[in-house]
């Protein structure tokens, strides 16, 4: 079935790296996305990766994709208190073009 | 500024009283969608629209209606709200189905 799974919570110290993990089910998914949701706000697209890529880097963000294991991760370097938010991964189902979201990982950055 | 707007942002109502949540985008996007967000369940799609006058059910359409008479607007209608529709609702739009979606700020609905 369609399912995207994430761990619920991650706590890191300011300045450390954060790694948020996600597993998905559709091996034919073409695009995988990371969204950020700050308190009281909508979801903001952070980055995405195309399925023929293993890695994508964008400033402090690094996305790693392991297609064999259907595992996606988001690494945030030098994590800041402003990075505290809920992070959602989402896969695009190529069979239906629907976006399937995970339940979100709450990142808490401690000073 | 490119954006998706929703109104109202907060709404408290009673069971059975019809309500409409409006959604508007200024990016000329063809694809629009409504989601509800509930704790521990992530985002679940309610309805989506591929273009004007083209709408289809998402994963949780029961109790909701939508319309797409103009490209920029995609209102969500609850004809007879019930307490299990208490949730945080997001409208989103994109250039096409499956493309990166831009989200509105959310509407927090409470049905008593």
């Amino acid at each position: 079935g369609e399912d995207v799974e994430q761990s619920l919570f991650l706590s890191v110290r300011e300045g450390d790296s954060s790694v948020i993990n996600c597993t998905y089910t559709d091996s034919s998914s073409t695009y995988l996305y990371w969204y950020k949701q700050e308190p009281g706000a909508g979801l903001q697209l952070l980055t995405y990766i195309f399925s023929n890529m293993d890695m994508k880097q964008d400033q402090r963000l690094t996305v790693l994709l392991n297609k064999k294991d259907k595992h996606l991760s988001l690494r945030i370097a030098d994590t800041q208190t402003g990075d505290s938010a809920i992070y959602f991964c989402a896969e695009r189902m190529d069979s239906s073009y629907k976006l399937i979201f995970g339940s979100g990982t709450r990142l808490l950055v401690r000073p | 500024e490119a954006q998706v707007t929703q109104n109202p942002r907060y709404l408290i109502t009673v069971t059975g009283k019809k309500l409409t949540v409006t959604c508007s985008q200024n990016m000329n996007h063809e694809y629009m969608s409504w989601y509800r967000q509930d704790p521990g369940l992530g985002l679940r799609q309610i309805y989506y629209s591929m273009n004007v006058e083209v709408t289809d059910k998402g994963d949780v359409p029961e109790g909701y209606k939508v319309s797409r008479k103009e490209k920029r607007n995609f209102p969500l209608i609850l004809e007879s709200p019930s307490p299990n529709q208490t949730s945080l609702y997001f409208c989103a739009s994109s250039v096409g189905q499956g493309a990166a979606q831009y989200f509105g700020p959310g509407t927090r609905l409470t049905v008593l």
Side-chain angles (χ1 to χ4, degrees), chain B residues 43-111:
Chain B
L43 275 81
R44 294 179 293 168
Q45 190 177 48
I46 303 170
Y47 267 94
Y48 65 93
S49 170
M50 303 261 281
N51 213 326
V52 175
E53 301 290 4
V54 181
T55 63
D56 210 343
K57 296 176 181 178
D59 295 317
V60 288
E62 294 78 22
Y64 304 95
K65 283 173 57 178
V66 293
S67 71
R68 188 90 181 273
K69 292 184 169 52
E70 307 162 280
K71 200 171 189 180
R72 62 182 292 128
N73 296 322
F74 190 44
L76 179 70
I77 302 154
L78 284 72
E79 294 270 4
S80 183
S82 62
N84 65 11
Q85 293 178 297
T86 292
S87 187
L88 180 57
Y89 291 86
F90 288 102
C91 179
S93 73
S94 62
V95 295
Q97 190 177 21
Q101 297 194 6
Y102 293 83
F103 282 78
T107 295
R108 185 167 291 282
L109 172 66
T110 301
V111 183

Side-chain angles (χ1 to χ4, degrees), chain A residues 26-42:
Chain A
D26 187 0
S27 57
S28 66
S29 288
T30 313
Y31 288 95
L32 296 128
Y33 301 92
W34 282 104
Y35 285 85
K36 176 184 181 183
Q37 184 181 30
E38 298 187 54

Side-chain angles (χ1 to χ4, degrees), chain A residues 36-53:
Chain A
K36 176 184 181 183
Q37 184 181 30
E38 298 187 54
L43 277 71
Q44 171 196 356
L45 178 66
L46 278 181
T47 186
Y48 65 92
I49 189 167
F50 191 58
S51 60
N52 67 353
M53 300 167 67

